[in-house]
Amino acid sequence: MKALYFNKFGTSDVLKFGEVPTPSLKRNEVLVRTDYIGLNFADIYRRRGTYHIEKNNPYIDGYEAAGTIAAVGADVSNKNIGKKVLFVDGPLANAEFVALPREKQIDLPVDVSTKTAATIGLQGLTADFLAHDLAQNSPGDQVFITGVSGGVGRLLAQILIADGVRVFGSASSIPKQQAALALGVEGVVSMRDPDWKQGFTGRFDTVFDGVGKTLNDSIELLHPRGKVVFFGMAGGNPPTVDLADLLAHSKSILTGDLWDYLTSFSERKKRSARLFSYLAKGTIKVREPTVFPLAEGKAAHDYLESGKNIGKVLLKS
Ligand SMILES: NC(=O)c1ccc[n+]([C@@H]2O[C@H](COP(=O)([O-])OP(=O)(O)OC[C@H]3O[C@@H](n4cnc5c(N)ncnc54)[C@H](OP(=O)(O)O)[C@@H]3O)[C@@H](O)[C@H]2O)c1
């Protein structure tokens, strides 16, 4: 089969496209013929060698894709063959075929295409757990999202607005700011503007920070008893935080990794059903993703790292 792979960690120059062995199936696995593969920031960290990646020779990046079940292992019912599925935590996904443990299979509702599923899958489940497990805001709360036009940011904003929460955020360019305002975000600032915190300092119940290097700014935006939900480092590692200062203002930092919440087949089913329900109600509007052929994976990595994308980047298998 064809795959996007690499032999050593580094810049996008290490990526190659070519033939690798098709995986063989264990008894409890299904073979997914991928259709659309999600490219996520974690894949950049993995390619650089700064994040956990499945041991394989060669390395094959990617943990998220949607496609069709082409074969099943001995312990899995044949009825699964032909099903449209999504997975968001299955390794070696940058390939035509992926051997996936059955418990990681998320069945798609009939009206959700593989393209839509791959567009909202991992980022949507992330937004859902950030909002509903970590922040747990109430209607009327005011929150700020760094990088509100990114993939997670857009979905998080829409889920929170549908939950009755008032959303503000940052976006670095005019097109990104316009895209956020069109979702119902009430105010969008560029962190490149030296005065961007004016009117925002000390105002928020929750700040969602997936940029990382902005963590101290995020803390400043909180009012006493507010909390930062720190969930990623798209802009670089977070600075050291002064815990005594946090204590002095009763502020908190919560962190979380989606995979610690996707711990079983039933957790995946429950959480994806909640995400798909927002889609069915029309409260999540899916922006057309930017699609690169899997063979052009290097260009896709460069694009995601440039920070220019609005919404999801997919690889077409
Ligand atoms: N904790 C979890 O379980 C989990 C799961 C999935 C993703 N994540 C994290 O969530 C964050 C967002 O992921 P995503 O998939 O939404 O990524 P994305 O679509 O690329 O969005 C990231 C946003 O970060 C901002 N940014 C600031 N500095 C940047 C830089 N130097 N390079 C690139 N972007 C920069 C950009 O917005 P502006 O240009 O507007 O600033 C960009 O839109 C990442 O840190 C990712 O690792 C965490």
Side-chain angles (χ1 to χ4, degrees):
M1 67 169 183
K2 294 275 199 267
L4 186 70
Y5 65 92
F6 55 98
N7 294 299
K8 57 175 186 186
F9 300 120
T11 66
S12 62
D13 290 336
V14 300
L15 294 169
K16 296 176 185 165
F17 180 74
E19 283 293 328
V20 301
T22 303
S24 48
L25 274 190
K26 297 199 182 89
R27 299 184 69 87
N28 65 341
E29 289 181 335
V30 299
L31 189 68
V32 180
R33 179 193 285 275
T34 58
D35 199 4
Y36 289 94
I37 300 163
L39 182 63
N40 291 292
F41 233 93
D43 299 323
I44 307 286
Y45 311 146
R46 292 187 182 102
R47 190 209 66 218
R48 292 175 184 160
T50 58
Y51 202 56
H52 58 85
I53 182 167
E54 184 82 358
K55 277 209 176 98
N56 198 61
N57 187 12
Y59 288 116
I60 298 177
D61 211 342
Y63 279 74
E64 174 186 33
T68 307
I69 295 185
V72 294
D75 291 348
V76 182
S77 162
N78 277 335
K79 286 185 188 151
N80 285 287
I81 293 176
K83 272 189 182 172
K84 302 268 182 232
V85 297
L86 163 75
F87 62 88
V88 300
D89 56 349
L92 312 175
N94 283 186
E96 268 182 280
F97 290 99
V98 178
L100 182 77
R102 156 85 177 112
E103 69 159 23
K104 297 192 171 186
Q105 164 188 336
I106 296 171
D107 295 344
L108 298 188
V110 280
D111 53 349
V112 176
S113 68
T114 52
K115 189 176 184 185
T116 297
T119 304
I120 66 162
L122 184 130
Q123 291 172 335
L125 290 169
T126 301
D128 171 69
F129 103 91
L130 295 176
H132 298 136
D133 292 283
L134 294 186
Q136 298 186 24
N137 291 111
S138 303
D141 277 4
Q142 294 194 41
V143 308
F144 187 95
I145 302 174
T146 62
V148 68
S149 286
V152 174
R154 283 179 59 82
L155 290 161
L156 180 58
Q158 292 181 84
I159 286 174
L160 289 167
I161 290 168
D163 290 350
V165 174
R166 297 183 59 192
V167 178
F168 300 76
S170 71
S172 61
S173 67
I174 302 284
K176 284 185 170 189
Q177 291 169 10
Q178 286 169 341
L181 292 169
L183 298 175
V185 174
E186 292 183 42
V188 189
V189 291
S190 166
M191 287 178 161
R192 289 182 189 155
D193 174 352
D195 296 328
W196 73 268
K197 275 184 266 183
Q198 221 169 20
F200 280 170
T201 303
R203 172 166 172 183
F204 293 98
D205 298 286
T206 306
V207 178
F208 295 91
D209 190 335
V211 173
K213 68 177 182 191
T214 45
L215 188 55
N216 278 326
D217 291 324
S218 296
I219 294 167
E220 263 188 63
L221 298 186
L222 296 175
H223 58 56
R225 295 170 54 180
K227 51 201 174 191
V228 171
V229 173
F230 165 59
F231 65 99
M233 298 152 287
N237 284 341
T240 308
V241 168
D242 183 348
L243 283 181
D245 198 42
L246 280 186
L247 171 61
H249 299 96
S250 305
K251 296 179 179 178
S252 325
I253 300 181
L254 302 174
T255 67
D257 188 315
L258 174 65
W259 290 3
D260 289 322
Y261 290 79
L262 296 181
T263 46
S264 64
F265 184 78
S266 61
E267 277 292 328
R268 289 180 188 87
K269 194 171 172 180
K270 179 184 84 182
R271 289 167 183 278
S272 57
R274 191 161 62 198
L275 177 63
F276 291 137
S277 78
Y278 280 89
L279 191 66
K281 280 183 265 173
T283 47
I284 290 180
K285 301 220 170 7
V286 182
R287 188 186 168 96
E288 191 60 22
T290 307
V291 182
F292 292 81
L294 184 58
E296 290 170 23
K298 176 183 156 35
H301 275 234
D302 289 343
Y303 181 63
L304 191 64
E305 276 180 289
S306 77
K308 287 192 194 120
N309 62 302
I310 302 180
K312 187 73 179 182
V313 180
L314 295 179
L315 300 164
K316 177 83 179 86
S317 173

